[in-house]
C-alpha cells in the first residue's frame, strides 16, 4: 500500500502517521488489555470525584467512611476572576486557543527539559483528565505499564485522548470550574472553596489578586508551597504567579508592584473547626493500612474499599460508655483537688509561671505572628488575648462560649484524657480501641501515638525475667532498703528506690506476693539479681518496641511506652508465650465484595509455655495476695460470678502523672492509661491519682458491662489450667494479714512526700535492724 508513494520521505512520513493512528486506536480500545482502560463517554459526561471507602466492625456494623471530606464544589460564576486569570496565566496561557492538547507547549516543554529547565507541558484539560479520571491510577493501567519509558508515553497519550473528549463535552468555563473543584490544596482542603475558606476565611468570589496567586502557586507542589508551613517559599511562588499574570496582561504594572509588597495575610480562624465523621478507630485503621495502601497503589479516600476490622461494636460501645462514666467523675475529682489553683507544677510542686506562654509558642500560628511582628511579644499577645466565640468540649456536652486563645489553652490543659485497648490474645484481634475522651476535640491518639511512663505495670517484666531464669513464684525476698550501684552513660550512680508508702516492713515475701502488692524494694532486688539489661531484652521479646534505657529503674517503669505496646506484650502471657502482631483489619474487598486482601495472625514463641502460665498465676496475685493492688475490683460485684478470675497490674508514674491498669481475664487483655496531655498537670495524692483510683475503675466498669451482656461472647470463668507440666513450685499461700488502710494505692514509681497513714500490718514484721536508714529518692 505504501509502495505507491514514490517519494521515500513522504512514504516514511505517511507510515509514521499511520502507525500513530493505529497506536492511538489501540489505546482507545485497550487492545488485548495492554494499555488499561479509558473513561467512557458516559463517565466523561457524569464524572465522579471519588468513591468513599467504608470501615466495618467484625459484626458488620458500619464504623466510619473515608472520603474527601473538605470539598464543596462551586459554579463558575462563584469564582473570582483573579483565580481564573492566575490559573490560566500560570498553568496554560493558551488555554482558550487549543482543544485540550497544546502541541506548541508540549514541544517547548520537551526542549526546556532537554536544556535542563524542567517545565510541564500538560494543559489544564490534561491535568483535569489526570485528576478527575485517574488516568495514571492502578485501575487504569495495562500490562504495558510495567515497561518504564513506554509507560510514560502511554500515560501521556491517554491524557491527550481524555482531554479531547472533555473539550468535546464541556465549555472552557466548565473545564476551569471542574479543575478548580478537583485539585488538592494541602491541609485536608480539596477544591478551591475549601482552600479559600481554609487559608483566608473567604468564599472564592472574594479572593484578592495576591490571595489568588498564593493558592494557584500551591498547585505546583502543595506541601512545598504551603503558606502555613513554608511562608517564605509561598511568597516566592506567589510572586512568580503575579509575574505571569502581569506578563500576559491580566495584571497592570502598578497592581503587580503593589501586590508584590503585600504579606500573605492568612486568616486561619477556620482551621479550628473540628472535622466531622472522624473517630479514633478510623485513624487507627488508616495508619495500620498505610504500607499496604502504598504497596498496592490504593487511595483510601477514592477507591471505594470495604475494610473489615476486628473491632467488636458491642465491646467498643461498652468501653466508650465506661470511659465516659469514669472520666467524668475523675475530671470532677481533679477540679476539686485544684479548684482555682493552677495545676501545672514542677517536680517540687511549684507553679510553672510561664506555662501558658510556652503553650502559645507551640501553636503553629505563633511562628507566623513572630515573623510578622519581628518577635515583638507586645504585638503578638493581643492575638492570644482577643475574645471570640467558640464551641468547647465539656462533660455536659458541647458548650458555646467566648474565649480568647489563652482562655482556650488554659481550659483544655486542665482536662484529663485516656487511652484504652482490648485484645483477644487467642486470635490476636483488637476488640476495643478508645484513643481519647472525644475525637472531635482531641485528635491525639492515646493508644498508639502517646507514650508515657508505665510505672508499676512494667514490673511484671522483671518477674518474668526471674521466672525464666531459675526463680519460682515462691522464692522469697525481704522488703528492706536497697542500694544499687551502676554506671549511667559512663558515670557511676546509685539507685535507692523507696516503696510507695515510704515504709519498709522487713517482711519476707514470695515473688508472687511482692508483685501482687507492688513492692518496689523487692522488685529492685530482683532487678539487681537478674540484670536490667536482661529485663529490657525480655520486654522487647514480648512486644515492647519503644527504646528502653537499661538502668535499674527500668523495672519500675521509668521508660515511655504506649498502651498498644503494653497490651501486646501482656497478651504474650495469655497466648501460651507467643508474641503476636495485633490484628486490626481482617479483610479488604472492593465495592462488589470481591476480596482484594486478607490478613492473618503473625506470631512467634517468645517465652516458654510454662513461664507464660506462671506469669498468669502471678497476675492473679494482685487480687489474691495480701495488699494486692488490684483489690479495688472487689467493689464491682458483677465481676465475681461463675468462679470468675481476674489478674492485673496497676501502675503510677512519679508525682501521679500517669495512671495505668492492665487487666487480664481468661479471654481478654485490656490496657488503660489516664492522665493529662501535659506531664506537669496531675493529681497530687495517692488517694486521688494512683492507677488503682484512675485507670482501674474504667476496667471494672467495662468488664461489668461485658459480663452483663449474654450476647457479648465473653463469659465468667477461671484462668486456663496449665498448658504444660509445671516444674516449678508455685503453690505457696501468703500469711493472712489485716491492713489498717487500703494498700491498693501503693503502686507509685515515687511520691513527693511520705503518707503516714499508709498501710501498716497488724501482724509482727520480721525483726528490723536497730536503726534502719531511710531509702533515698
Amino acid at each position: 500500500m505504501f509502495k505507491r508513494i514514490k517519494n521515500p520521505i513522504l512514504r516514511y512520513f505517511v507510515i509514521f502517521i499511520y502507525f500513530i493512528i493505529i497506536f492511538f486506536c489501540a489505546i482507545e480500545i485497550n487492545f488485548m488489555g495492554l494499555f488499561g482502560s479509558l473513561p467512557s463517554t458516559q463517565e466523561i459526561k457524569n464524572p465522579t470525584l471519588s468513591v468513599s471507602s467504608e470501615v466495618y466492625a467484625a459484626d458488620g456494623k458500619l464504623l466510619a467512611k473515608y472520603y474527601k471530606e473538605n470539598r464543596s464544589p462551586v459554579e463558575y460564576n462563584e469564582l473570582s476572576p483573579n483565580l481564573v486569570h492566575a490559573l490560566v496565566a500560570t498553568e496554560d496561557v493558551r488555554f482558550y486557543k487549543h482543544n485540550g492538547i497544546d502541541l506548541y507547549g508540549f514541544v517547548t516543554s520537551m526542549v526546556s527539559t532537554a536544556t535542563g529547565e524542567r517545565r510541564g507541558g500538560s494543559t489544564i484539560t490534561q491535568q483535569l483528565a489526570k485528576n478527575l479520571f485517574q488516568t495514571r491510577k492502578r485501575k487504569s493501567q495495562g500490562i504495558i505499564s510495567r515497561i518504564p519509558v513506554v509507560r510514560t508515553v502511554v500515560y501521556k497519550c491517554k491524557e491527550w485522548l481524555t482531554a479531547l473528549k472533555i473539550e468535546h463535552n464541556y465549555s472552557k468555563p466548565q473545564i476551569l470550574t471542574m479543575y478548580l473543584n478537583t485539585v488538592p490544596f494541602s491541609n485536608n482542603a480539596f477544591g478551591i472553596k475549601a482552600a479559600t475558606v481554609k487559608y483566608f476565611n473567604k468564599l472564592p468570589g472574594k479572593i484578592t489578586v495576591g490571595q489568588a496567586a498564593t493558592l494557584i502557586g500551591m498547585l505546583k507542589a502543595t506541601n512545598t508551597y504551603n503558606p502555613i508551613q513554608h511562608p517564605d517559599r509561598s511568597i516566592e511562588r506567589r510572586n512568580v504567579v503575579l509575574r505571569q499574570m502581569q506578563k500576559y496582561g491580566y495584571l497592570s504594572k502598578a497592581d503587580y508592584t503593589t501586590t508584590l509588597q503585600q504579606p500573605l495575610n492568612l486568616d486561619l480562624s477556620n482551621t479550628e473547626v473540628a472535622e466531622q465523621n472522624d473517630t479514633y478507630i478510623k485513624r487507627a485503621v488508616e495508619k495500620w493500612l498505610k504500607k499496604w495502601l502504598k504497596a498496592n497503589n490504593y487511595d483510601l479516600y477514592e477507591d471505594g474499599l470495604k475494610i473489615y476490622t476486628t473491632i467488636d461494636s458491642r465491646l467498643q460501645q461498652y468501653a466508650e460508655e465506661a470511659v465516659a462514666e469514669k472520666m467524668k467523675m475523675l475530671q470532677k475529682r481533679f477540679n476539686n483537688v485544684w479548684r482555682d489553683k493552677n495545676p501545672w507544677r514542677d517536680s517540687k510542686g511549684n507553679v510553672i509561671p510561664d506555662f501558658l506562654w510556652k503553650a502559645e509558642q507551640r501553636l503553629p500560628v505563633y511562628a507566623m505572628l513572630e515573623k510578622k511582628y519581628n518577635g515583638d511579644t507586645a504585638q503578638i499577645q493581643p492575638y492570644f488575648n482577643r475574645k471570640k466565640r467558640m464551641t468547647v468540649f465539656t462533660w455536659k456536652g458541647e458548650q458555646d462560649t467566648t474565649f480568647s486563645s489563652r482562655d482556650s489553652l488554659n481550659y483544655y490543659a486542665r482536662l484529663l484524657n485516656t487511652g484504652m485497648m482490648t485484645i483477644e490474645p487467642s486470635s490476636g484481634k483488637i476488640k476495643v480501641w478508645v484513643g481519647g475522651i472525644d475525637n472531635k476535640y482531641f485528635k491525639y491518639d492515646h493508644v498508639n501515638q502517646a507514650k508515657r511512663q508505665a510505672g508499676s505495670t512494667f514490673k511484671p517484666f522483671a518477674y518474668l525475667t526471674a521466672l525464666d531464669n531459675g526463680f519460682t513464684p515462691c522464692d522469697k525476698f525481704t522488703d528492706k532498703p536497697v542500694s544499687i550501684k551502676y554506671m549511667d552513660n559512663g558515670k557511676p550512680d546509685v539507685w535507692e528506690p523507696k516503696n510507695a508508702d515510704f515504709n519498709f516492713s522487713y517482711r519476707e515475701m514470695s515473688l508472687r506476693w511482692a508483685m501482687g502488692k507492688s513492692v518496689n524494694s523487692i522488685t529492685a532486688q530482683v532487678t539487681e539479681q537478674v540484670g536490667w539489661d536482661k529485663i529490657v531484652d525480655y520486654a522487647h521479646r514480648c512486644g515492647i518496641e519503644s527504646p528502653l534505657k537499661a538502668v535499674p529503674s527500668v523495672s519500675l517503669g521509668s521508660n515511655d511506652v504506649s498502651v498498644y505496646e503494653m497490651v501486646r506484650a501482656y497478651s504474650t502471657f495469655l497466648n501460651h508465650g507467643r508474641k503476636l502482631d495485633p490484628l486490626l483489619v481482617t479483610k479488604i474487598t472492593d465495592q462488589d465484595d470481591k476480596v482484594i486482601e486478607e490478613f492473618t495472625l503473625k506470631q512467634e514463641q517468645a517465652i516458654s509455655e510454662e513461664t507464660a502460665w506462671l506469669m498468669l498465676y502471678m497476675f492473679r496475685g494482685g487480687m489474691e495476695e495480701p495488699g494486692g493492688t488490684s483489690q479495688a475490683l472487689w467493689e464491682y460485684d458483677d465481676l465475681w460470678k461463675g468462679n470468675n478470675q481476674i489478674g492485673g497490674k496497676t501502675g503510677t508514674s512519679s508525682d501521679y502523672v500517669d495512671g495505668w491498669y492492665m487487666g487480664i481475664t481468661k479471654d481478654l487483655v485490656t490496657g488503660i492509661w489516664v492522665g493529662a496531655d501535659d506531664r506537669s498537670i496531675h493529681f497530687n495524692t495517692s488517694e486521688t491519682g494512683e492507677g488503682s483510683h484512675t485507670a482501674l475503675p474504667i476496667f471494672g466498669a467495662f468488664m461489668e458491662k461485658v459480663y452483663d451482656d449474654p450476647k457479648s461472647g465473653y463469659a465468667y470463668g477461671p484462668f486456663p489450667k496449665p498448658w504444660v507440666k509445671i516444674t516449678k513450685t508455685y503453690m505457696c499461700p501468703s500469711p493472712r494479714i489485716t491492713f489498717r488502710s487500703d494498700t491498693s494505692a501503693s503502686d507509685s514509681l515515687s511520691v513527693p512526700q511520705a503518707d503516714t497513714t499508709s498501710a501498716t500490718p497488724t501482724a509482727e514484721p520480721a525483726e528490723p535492724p536497730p536503726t534502719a536508714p531511710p531509702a533515698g529518692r
Side-chain angles (χ1 to χ4, degrees):
M1 179 175 70
F2 298 109
K3 291 181 180 180
R4 297 177 183 176
I5 304 174
K6 302 300 182 181
N7 188 316
I9 296 176
L10 181 60
R11 182 169 63 248
Y12 289 126
F13 178 74
V14 172
I15 292 173
F16 174 74
I17 296 299
Y18 180 81
F19 278 103
I20 287 293
I21 294 172
I22 294 295
F23 180 65
F24 274 97
C25 288
I27 292 176
E28 176 66 28
I29 65 173
N30 189 20
F31 181 68
M32 296 181 67
L34 291 172
F35 305 100
S37 62
L38 279 172
S40 65
T41 302
Q42 188 64 27
E43 289 173 325
I44 294 287
K45 291 180 178 180
N46 299 286
T48 302
L49 292 179
S50 62
V51 180
S52 64
S53 295
E54 298 172 333
V55 180
Y56 292 93
D59 51 9
K61 181 180 179 180
L62 180 64
L63 297 176
K65 289 185 178 183
Y66 297 95
Y67 54 93
K68 303 298 187 184
E69 296 167 324
N70 197 6
R71 187 198 302 276
S72 299
V74 296
E75 298 296 332
Y76 183 78
N77 58 11
E78 298 177 76
L79 296 171
S80 166
N82 294 323
L83 286 167
V84 175
H85 296 160
L87 176 62
V88 172
T90 308
E91 297 293 326
D92 189 359
V93 71
R94 282 174 293 279
F95 174 71
Y96 294 106
K97 298 178 181 179
H98 62 66
N99 60 352
I101 302 172
D102 184 5
L103 292 177
Y104 175 80
F106 176 72
V107 172
T108 55
S109 71
M110 295 289 287
V111 173
S112 297
T113 302
T115 57
E117 182 188 352
R118 190 176 180 86
R119 182 164 63 86
S122 295
T123 65
I124 289 175
T125 315
Q126 287 175 245
Q127 293 178 52
L128 175 62
K130 182 169 61 176
N131 293 340
L132 187 56
F133 299 104
Q134 304 176 1
T135 52
R136 298 194 181 193
K137 295 288 285 187
R138 179 195 56 78
K139 291 182 292 185
S140 300
Q141 295 175 4
I143 299 172
I144 211 166
S145 65
R146 299 172 186 173
I147 307 173
V149 178
V150 177
R151 175 177 59 205
T152 304
V153 173
V154 171
Y155 284 164
K156 184 59 67 175
C157 292
K158 290 170 72 175
E159 286 171 13
W160 284 353
L161 289 171
T162 306
L164 289 172
K165 294 179 182 178
I166 292 173
E167 291 274 350
H168 180 70
N169 285 277
Y170 295 99
S171 66
K172 290 293 186 179
Q174 287 175 320
I175 292 171
L176 288 171
T177 306
M178 291 171 67
Y179 177 82
L180 288 171
N181 279 331
T182 58
V183 287
F185 287 90
S186 191
N187 291 102
N188 197 33
F190 296 89
I192 191 63
K193 183 177 180 180
T196 59
V197 172
K198 171 76 76 173
Y199 296 108
F200 300 108
N201 196 21
K202 289 183 177 181
L203 293 175
K206 303 293 184 181
I207 290 297
T208 66
V209 170
Q211 293 166 343
T214 299
L215 294 175
I216 298 303
M218 290 179 67
L219 298 178
K220 184 177 182 179
T222 54
N223 290 325
T224 302
Y225 300 111
N226 186 311
I228 298 176
Q229 300 172 359
H230 308 291
D232 291 340
R233 296 180 196 169
S234 179
I235 289 176
E236 289 177 9
R237 180 61 184 163
R238 179 202 67 181
N239 293 345
V240 170
V241 176
L242 291 173
R243 189 160 55 248
Q244 289 293 103
M245 294 178 72
Q246 194 265 332
K247 177 181 178 180
Y248 293 109
Y250 292 112
L251 192 63
S252 69
K253 181 69 174 178
D255 289 340
Y256 167 69
T257 304
T258 302
T259 311
L260 277 181
Q261 308 305 316
Q262 294 175 354
L264 289 174
N265 288 326
L266 300 181
D267 182 348
L268 303 178
S269 57
N270 265 282
T271 61
E272 296 179 0
V273 177
E275 183 179 354
Q276 302 296 321
N277 186 44
D278 204 1
T279 66
Y280 293 110
I281 295 173
K282 177 181 175 181
R283 294 298 157 214
V285 169
E286 184 173 11
K287 184 176 181 180
W288 200 86
L289 289 174
K290 185 175 181 180
K291 290 183 179 178
W292 182 88
L293 291 165
K294 184 176 181 180
N296 293 276
N297 198 21
Y298 277 103
D299 189 325
L300 199 56
Y301 289 82
E302 294 186 348
D303 289 342
L305 303 175
K306 291 184 178 180
I307 301 159
Y308 295 88
T309 71
T310 59
I311 297 296
D312 186 309
S313 65
R314 286 177 181 270
L315 268 63
Q316 181 70 24
Q317 178 185 338
Y318 297 147
E320 292 174 359
E321 289 174 356
V323 163
E325 292 167 9
K326 298 302 180 180
M327 289 300 294
K328 183 177 181 179
M329 295 170 58
L330 286 172
Q331 189 63 54
K332 185 176 181 180
R333 180 196 303 171
F334 184 84
N335 294 342
N336 288 336
V337 166
W338 292 105
R339 296 188 182 277
D340 296 329
K341 299 177 182 178
N342 289 329
W344 35 86
R345 306 292 173 121
D346 60 22
S347 58
K348 296 180 180 179
N350 299 317
V351 173
I352 302 172
D354 56 354
F355 176 85
L356 290 176
W357 180 64
K358 288 184 176 179
E360 291 171 357
Q361 290 181 308
R362 290 193 292 269
L363 295 175
V365 71
Y366 192 91
M368 295 174 52
L369 294 170
E370 194 172 36
K371 185 176 182 63
K372 180 178 180 179
Y373 297 115
N374 296 318
D376 186 350
T377 55
Q379 296 186 70
I380 294 174
Q381 281 307 305
Y383 174 89
F384 293 100
N385 293 328
R386 187 170 64 248
K387 301 283 186 179
K388 53 189 173 182
R389 296 292 298 172
M390 65 176 67
T391 304
V392 298
F393 167 86
T394 78
W395 280 111
K396 295 180 180 180
E398 293 182 326
Q399 181 176 323
D400 292 329
T401 187
T402 302
F403 270 176
S404 67
S405 295
R406 173 170 279 246
D407 294 334
S408 179
L409 289 170
N410 180 31
Y411 175 76
Y412 280 112
R414 300 167 186 264
L415 294 182
L416 299 176
N417 223 310
T418 188
M420 176 179 179
M421 174 177 156
T422 298
I423 196 170
E424 182 183 72
S426 62
S427 65
K429 294 178 179 179
I430 298 172
K431 296 294 181 178
V432 165
W433 189 297
V434 182
I437 56 175
D438 190 299
N439 179 259
K440 182 177 179 180
Y441 291 91
F442 307 92
K443 299 296 184 186
Y444 196 58
D445 194 317
H446 298 86
V447 171
N448 67 347
Q449 282 185 289
K451 292 186 178 184
R452 303 296 283 261
Q453 283 191 341
S456 294
T457 57
F458 211 83
K459 286 178 180 175
F461 298 113
Y463 292 93
L464 161 66
T465 307
L467 294 184
D468 213 39
N469 288 274
F471 289 85
T472 75
C474 293
D475 287 338
K476 294 185 177 180
F477 287 75
T478 300
D479 174 19
K480 62 182 181 180
V482 181
S483 180
I484 300 176
K485 297 179 180 180
Y486 69 103
M487 299 297 291
D488 186 9
N489 295 324
K491 297 180 180 180
D493 206 344
V494 179
W495 183 50
E496 296 178 332
K498 298 178 181 178
N499 285 332
D501 60 3
F502 273 72
N503 293 318
F504 298 99
S505 67
Y506 297 93
R507 180 187 304 284
E508 269 196 338
M509 296 181 178
S510 68
L511 289 185
R512 187 178 191 250
W513 186 3
M515 187 177 116
K517 193 176 183 293
S518 201
V519 182
N520 290 348
S521 66
I522 293 180
T523 305
Q525 293 174 60
V526 171
T527 300
E528 186 175 28
Q529 293 207 24
V530 302
W532 40 90
D533 290 332
K534 192 170 284 188
I535 292 172
V536 168
D537 176 60
Y538 271 86
H540 285 317
R541 278 199 219 177
C542 289
I544 300 295
E545 294 183 341
S546 293
L548 302 173
K549 187 176 182 180
V551 292
S553 62
V554 67
S555 57
L556 298 192
S558 57
N559 287 285
D560 286 355
V561 292
S562 68
V563 171
Y564 179 92
E565 292 176 286
M566 291 296 285
V567 173
R568 179 191 187 192
Y570 271 54
S571 296
T572 303
F573 307 128
L574 199 56
N575 193 36
H576 297 242
R578 295 188 293 268
K579 178 185 74 173
L580 52 80
D581 289 333
L583 276 175
L584 184 57
V585 176
T586 56
K587 182 176 66 174
I588 299 176
T589 72
D590 60 18
Q591 285 290 302
D592 299 320
D593 295 322
K594 180 182 178 182
V595 176
I596 298 173
E597 189 76 64
E598 290 185 294
F599 301 92
T600 56
L601 178 63
K602 296 178 181 178
Q603 53 186 343
E604 60 178 296
Q605 201 71 38
I607 57 176
S608 70
E609 290 192 81
E610 179 182 7
T611 300
W613 187 88
L614 286 172
M615 283 302 298
L616 292 182
Y617 179 71
M618 295 280 284
F619 280 115
R620 282 167 46 198
M623 292 300 305
E624 299 170 0
E625 294 289 347
T629 60
S630 293
Q631 291 181 1
L633 288 176
W634 290 121
E635 299 173 10
Y636 297 85
D637 295 337
D638 285 356
L639 297 181
W640 307 111
K641 301 174 183 177
N643 194 29
N644 197 40
Q645 290 180 330
I646 293 176
K649 188 72 194 75
T650 55
T652 313
S653 65
S654 301
D655 299 327
Y656 318 104
V657 171
D658 308 291
W660 290 76
Y661 191 71
M662 302 297 300
I664 304 174
T665 70
K666 66 182 180 67
D667 301 304
L668 302 170
V669 172
T670 298
I672 301 166
W673 166 88
V674 172
D677 283 325
D678 192 290
R679 299 185 195 222
S680 67
I681 298 170
H682 46 76
F683 286 103
N684 56 10
T685 65
S686 61
E687 289 79 7
T688 58
E690 288 201 337
S692 59
H693 299 301
T694 58
L696 179 146
I698 297 175
F699 174 79
F702 167 63
M703 287 308 303
E704 273 196 326
K705 293 174 185 291
V706 173
Y707 287 139
D708 287 345
D709 181 359
K711 296 181 180 180
S712 71
Y714 298 98
Y716 302 101
F719 273 24
K721 294 181 179 180
W723 307 300
V724 294
K725 182 180 179 181
I726 305 301
T727 61
K728 295 183 177 181
T729 304
Y730 65 92
M731 294 294 290
C732 44
S734 299
R736 283 293 199 183
I737 298 176
T738 302
F739 289 86
R740 294 198 185 111
S741 63
D742 179 17
T743 59
S744 65
S746 301
D747 66 342
S748 295
L749 177 57
S750 65
V751 290
Q753 60 183 20
D755 181 1
T756 57
T757 63
S758 294
T760 304
T762 57
E764 285 295 316
E767 186 66 21
T771 55
R777 291 299 300 273

